[in-house]
Structure formats: C-alpha cells, structure tokens
Amino acid sequence: MPSAPSTDASASAALSSLLPPAVCVLGLGLIGGSLVRALQDRLPVTGWSPSVSTRDAAAADGLAVAGTLEAALQAAVRADALVVLASPVTTFRTLLREVAHHAPQVRLTDVASVKAVVAQEVAQLVPQARYVGSHPMAGTAASGWAAGDATLFDGAAWVTCLTEDTEVADWSAVAALALTVGSRVVPTEAEAHDAAVARISHLPHLMALALAQAGAQGGELALSLAASSFADGTRVAGTRPELVRAMCEANQEALVEALDDALALLGVARASLASTGSLLKLTEGGHRARGQFDARGSGLEPMTLTGDHLVEQLLAVGSAGGYVSGLTGAGADLRVQAHYPDQL
C-alpha cells in the first residue's frame, strides 16, 4: 500500500485552511501522545491525562497541559477546538458525560479501535456534538507518554466514519488533521470498520496471545529455540492486557465471527493433518491470501470527488479499498483527491 503522497506548499496551505483552530487531546498514551507531538508545530494543541505523572511528563516535554478535564474542555470551547478522545474506550462514557456538561456542541472525534459502540455512546450522551469517529491504524506494543512518536502516523491508514447525516465540514476537519500528520484517509461506516478490524487487528491480537502461550507450554527448550517467526507472530502479545481486552471486548460480535472463521480453518487443517498428513489447503490458501495483502493498493487510480453526494462517493472509495490523499476548497466547493480501483 503506498504512503500518503507528500504535499507541496499549495496543498499544505489548502489543508491548513481546513484544520480546526486548535486540538484538545484527552489521553496522552501512545496514540494521544504521538498525535500531540505530530501536531505541536502546526496548530495550538492542549493535552490532558487523568494521570498526574503523565501530565507532568508531557508538560516537561513542552506540551500545554490542562490541570483538569473541566479546564481542558472549557479551553476547547473557547478555541472551537477539535476534541480527541484518546484514552481506552472503557473510559469514554465518563469522558463523554463531562463533554456533555462542559462542551456539548464541541467538535469531537476519537481514536478508538472500535467505532459503532462509540458512535452509539456519543449519540446517547452528547447528541449535539459535531462528531466524526476516526481510527489511525498505527501503533506498537508499547504504551504510555514516553512511547509516543511524532512519526507514528506516517503512511498509516486513518479511518474516518461517515453516515448520511455527517456534515462534510466536520469530516473534512478530521480528515485534514489525519492528512497533516502523514496518513492516508479511509472513509467508511462504523459497522464496516468494526467488521474489518475484527479480522486484521483484534483477531491477530488473540492469535498472538494464543501462540505465545502455546510456545511457552513447550518449556524452556522451545523458548530458547524461538526465532523470528515466533517473535513476529507474538509481537502484539506484549501489549498491556487491559488494552487488548478493552478493544476486543468492545467489538464482541464481529470478533466472535472472525474467531469462528479462524477456528474453522485451523480445524480443517488439524483434521487433514491427522487423517492424511497433508496441510495443502491451509498452506496454499494462506499463501494466496498473503499475496493479496502484499498487493493491496495496486491498481488504484487518482480521481477527484466533488458535488452534492460527497458522503456517498467517499464511502464508495473506502469500501473498494481506496483512500483519500488530499483536500482543497471548502464547503460546497470542497474537492477531495482520492485513489480508487481503476476497474470501477
């Protein structure tokens, strides 16, 4: 998959005109901490964390840090800032109640790895918020403020969720932010996002955890012999367990379906190995699937989206495996530079 193309001066200026006046990031772990680092030289950024030690560390590194959540939200209202929920999804209901009390009409997004449940909570608790769900597909097994990296989003897919009721101006502010930090924007619906990440993010976490345990059950000899295939396959098992549980349990329905499919594949492989000694079907099918992954993004052609049905066009781009690489204009004159499969 190609990285988001670098922008020239005019494209950068066009993006800057679409950015929100300021950004307020609630949660300063890996993703939130990386985001504020990536944005600090581009527009006013305020951060907040429930952890005093995290706030102190962020302030020591030069971030403008609010002392309380109330102060952060009040400042966001004054600046018409985009508020970014960047803490674990299990904390969102508490945060959203505070948003409803102090900033009920604020620009709002989040970076959680599940989208439908967050959209439901926003609709229930802060119905007047100008909300566009998002999810940068970037991360490491590390966590906390110290793990943050301003380059984390370079070339990453950044999901933005739309519905038929989404205001394009609100979407474009989130999309411009993602493009500004080097990501390519993938528009989709919340439910489609959750079904997809269940298979390519949440299931791999569970498989890594199972593989790590199966390896450890082999004893000290097995672990002493483990090399790159085991290390690569279990890398994300080093993620803090509470973070894995938070994202996976919040996507229960889609993840159960993905688990069923993976277990069915392994079940067929086990039965075949036990009866005929062959793993032909699994090895060839998996090899082909990996080839599809390696070829993702091939055959995409540049195109420009504009007009009255922009939301529908954006969703079509995302569902076909395309992405957005640039924005120009504003309002009814917004023009979206996208990459779309040439056969369509």
Side-chain angles (χ1 to χ4, degrees):
M1 175 67 74
S3 300
S6 59
T7 56
D8 58 22
S10 60
S12 295
L15 276 183
S16 296
S17 69
L18 292 169
L19 286 170
V23 173
C24 174
V25 180
L26 306 181
L28 297 173
L30 172 65
I31 301 299
S34 296
L35 182 59
V36 299
R37 287 175 169 94
L39 290 174
Q40 268 188 298
D41 295 332
R42 294 181 167 98
L43 74 170
V45 181
T46 302
W48 175 83
S49 169
S51 166
V52 174
S53 61
T54 297
R55 294 199 301 269
D56 289 345
D61 286 341
L63 176 66
V65 179
T68 66
L69 178 56
E70 178 181 353
L73 292 172
Q74 289 175 343
V77 171
R78 291 193 297 271
D80 192 22
L82 172 66
V83 173
V84 182
L85 306 183
S87 59
V89 70
T90 50
T91 69
F92 278 14
R93 291 191 70 85
T94 298
L95 290 178
L96 288 171
R97 289 190 182 98
E98 293 300 308
V99 172
H101 183 66
H102 299 290
Q105 296 180 321
V106 77
R107 302 169 188 250
L108 183 66
T109 190
D110 70 289
V111 292
S113 66
V114 289
K115 297 271 66 83
V117 66
V118 178
Q120 292 165 5
E121 289 181 345
V122 171
Q124 176 188 3
L125 298 172
V126 202
Q128 297 181 69
R130 292 170 283 170
Y131 173 69
V132 175
S134 72
H135 178 207
M137 302 299 297
T140 70
S143 59
W145 168 258
D149 180 356
T151 67
L152 182 68
F153 310 109
D154 288 356
W158 190 306
V159 175
T160 55
C161 291
L162 300 101
T163 71
E164 61 182 12
D165 298 323
T166 299
E167 292 290 340
V168 172
D170 295 331
W171 172 83
S172 63
V174 176
L177 181 124
L179 292 168
T180 296
V181 299
S183 296
R184 62 184 187 277
V185 172
V186 180
T188 189
E189 295 175 304
E191 293 78 6
H193 164 276
D194 291 355
V197 297
R199 294 176 179 275
I200 54 82
S201 177
H202 302 163
L203 178 63
H205 272 85
L206 298 191
M207 298 292 279
L209 293 166
L211 179 59
Q213 292 178 77
Q217 287 169 359
E220 295 304 321
L221 174 61
L223 293 179
S224 73
L225 299 177
S228 58
S229 60
F230 184 80
D232 292 346
T234 61
R235 178 184 62 81
V236 294
T239 306
R240 284 165 46 197
E242 63 270 25
L243 298 180
V244 178
R245 286 190 59 195
M247 68 180 182
C248 290
E249 292 173 1
N251 199 19
Q252 178 185 358
E253 184 175 347
L255 183 51
V256 166
E257 183 176 337
L259 268 170
D260 285 343
D261 288 346
L263 291 172
L265 290 167
L266 290 173
V268 169
R270 188 229 180 259
S272 178
L273 183 63
S275 61
T276 69
S278 173
L279 288 173
L280 177 66
K281 187 173 183 179
L282 183 67
T283 54
E284 291 197 346
H287 184 74
R288 285 194 302 271
R290 173 66 197 205
Q292 290 178 265
F293 168 74
D294 290 336
R296 61 182 180 152
S298 61
L300 297 181
E301 297 291 339
M303 64 182 302
T304 300
L305 311 179
T306 189
D308 296 333
H309 303 290
L310 196 53
V311 169
E312 291 87 343
Q313 295 177 66
L314 288 166
L315 291 173
V317 166
S319 65
Y323 63 94
V324 169
S325 61
L327 302 171
T328 57
D333 296 323
L334 182 69
R335 298 173 67 83
V336 179
Q337 287 73 55
H339 295 257
Y340 204 64
D342 57 6
Q343 70 268 25
L344 299 179

